[in-house]
Amino acid sequence: MEENRSVYNRYNDSIFLFKDHVAWTNFFKRRALKNTHLFLANREIINTVFDYFKQDRKQIPHEAYQQLCDGLQRLYMEEKVDPFLGNQLCDILLEYYGSGRCPEASNFVGLVDVFKGEFLYEIHTLGKEPDALKKSYEYLKRAVAEDRYRSPNPVESSLMALENLTVTNWLIYKMQTVKERRAYVLELRRLLSLPHTC
């Protein structure tokens, strides 16, 4: 999918290369055909992933979920994941992490809560789901409030969530009180002062 994304971006970047109208029109026709092929190839990859995780979940090894989580984290950090797709991938991971099948030392539920909160916020900004803003806030709060100390790196997910929870948007949206925001700011400062915080 990353290779397809690079090809797609190169085609988008090259739309201004042609000055001649006929050459420009012909290029757009080729570009449209190539983009159709790219989207179909990406859809096939995405369907393969979802089909795999639709099978009997008890038969899916922990390593498959770990690879999905690692891949989602990498795409998230590189800002290369569509929020709708990311949101669906989070649902697969959250079902697994909440099922009791995941080894406790490998439960990244707090981190996935942060991803889901951010994807839902992006979906809200696109105006596609009326409840997305409220859900986004709930997932970010959950990442901080739940039993995060069983996570392999609880400070990382808490810091990411708190970074989001301390922006003033939540006050503006009247979803957070000043008292709550102050508490989140204090918790963020506390975590930042820990010796093992990067």
Side-chain angles (χ1 to χ4, degrees), residues 55-147:
Q55 65 178 307
D56 182 3
R57 291 187 173 116
K58 291 178 182 161
Q59 303 301 316
I60 301 172
H62 167 71
E63 292 73 27
Y65 288 100
Q66 189 62 55
Q67 286 179 348
L68 179 62
C69 188
D70 292 344
L72 181 60
Q73 183 173 13
R74 185 173 50 80
L75 291 172
Y76 168 84
M77 294 300 190
E78 295 173 3
E79 298 179 357
K80 291 182 177 177
V81 64
D82 171 84
F84 298 97
L85 174 60
N87 187 43
Q88 289 178 294
L89 294 173
C90 285
D91 288 339
I92 292 170
L93 290 167
L94 290 174
E95 185 282 325
Y96 174 63
Y97 291 141
S99 69
R101 298 189 314 271
C102 176
E104 207 153 289
S106 302
N107 194 321
F108 287 94
V109 68
L111 190 61
V112 178
D113 280 342
V114 174
F115 297 159
K116 186 157 177 83
E118 290 209 19
F119 292 139
L120 285 166
Y121 188 83
E122 287 181 54
I123 290 168
H124 159 74
T125 62
L126 295 169
K128 297 296 183 186
E129 189 181 319
D131 294 334
L133 183 66
K134 184 174 187 273
K135 290 178 185 175
S136 169
Y137 187 63
E138 293 304 317
Y139 275 100
L140 291 169
K141 283 188 351 183
R142 196 170 92 169
V144 176
E146 67 188 6
D147 182 18

Side-chain angles (χ1 to χ4, degrees), residues 20-198:
D20 176 65
H21 180 71
V22 173
W24 187 77
T25 305
N26 288 336
F27 171 76
F28 261 84
K29 288 177 184 175
R30 287 193 311 275
R31 177 181 172 269
L33 185 61
K34 183 65 176 177
N35 282 344
T36 300
H37 292 302
L38 290 173
F39 288 130
L40 289 173
N42 286 346
R43 176 52 49 200
E44 191 174 321
I45 293 167
I46 291 166
N47 287 343
T48 301
V49 171
F50 283 109
D51 288 346
Y52 178 80
F53 286 99
K54 279 181 187 169
Q55 65 178 307
D56 182 3
R57 291 187 173 116
K58 291 178 182 161
Q59 303 301 316
I60 301 172
H62 167 71
E63 292 73 27
Y65 288 100
Q66 189 62 55
Q67 286 179 348
L68 179 62
C69 188
D70 292 344
L72 181 60
Q73 183 173 13
R74 185 173 50 80
L75 291 172
Y76 168 84
M77 294 300 190
E78 295 173 3
E79 298 179 357
K80 291 182 177 177
V81 64
D82 171 84
F84 298 97
L85 174 60
N87 187 43
Q88 289 178 294
L89 294 173
C90 285
D91 288 339
I92 292 170
L93 290 167
L94 290 174
E95 185 282 325
Y96 174 63
Y97 291 141
S99 69
R101 298 189 314 271
C102 176
E104 207 153 289
S106 302
N107 194 321
F108 287 94
V109 68
L111 190 61
V112 178
D113 280 342
V114 174
F115 297 159
K116 186 157 177 83
E118 290 209 19
F119 292 139
L120 285 166
Y121 188 83
E122 287 181 54
I123 290 168
H124 159 74
T125 62
L126 295 169
K128 297 296 183 186
E129 189 181 319
D131 294 334
L133 183 66
K134 184 174 187 273
K135 290 178 185 175
S136 169
Y137 187 63
E138 293 304 317
Y139 275 100
L140 291 169
K141 283 188 351 183
R142 196 170 92 169
V144 176
E146 67 188 6
D147 182 18
R148 62 185 190 269
Y149 294 104
R150 63 193 173 132
S151 170
N153 190 353
V155 174
E156 177 187 12
S157 56
S158 294
L159 283 171
M160 290 171 69
L162 288 165
E163 181 181 17
N164 281 284
L165 289 168
T166 54
V167 295
T168 55
N169 288 0
W170 306 111
L171 290 170
I172 294 166
Y173 296 136
K174 299 188 182 344
M175 299 184 78
Q176 188 180 70
T177 66
V178 173
K179 183 178 177 182
E180 286 171 324
R181 184 176 184 278
R182 284 185 180 142
Y184 287 134
V185 168
L186 288 173
E187 178 66 356
L188 179 60
R189 288 179 180 157
R190 185 188 74 76
L191 291 180
L192 287 171
S193 69
L194 296 175
H196 58 282
T197 299
C198 296

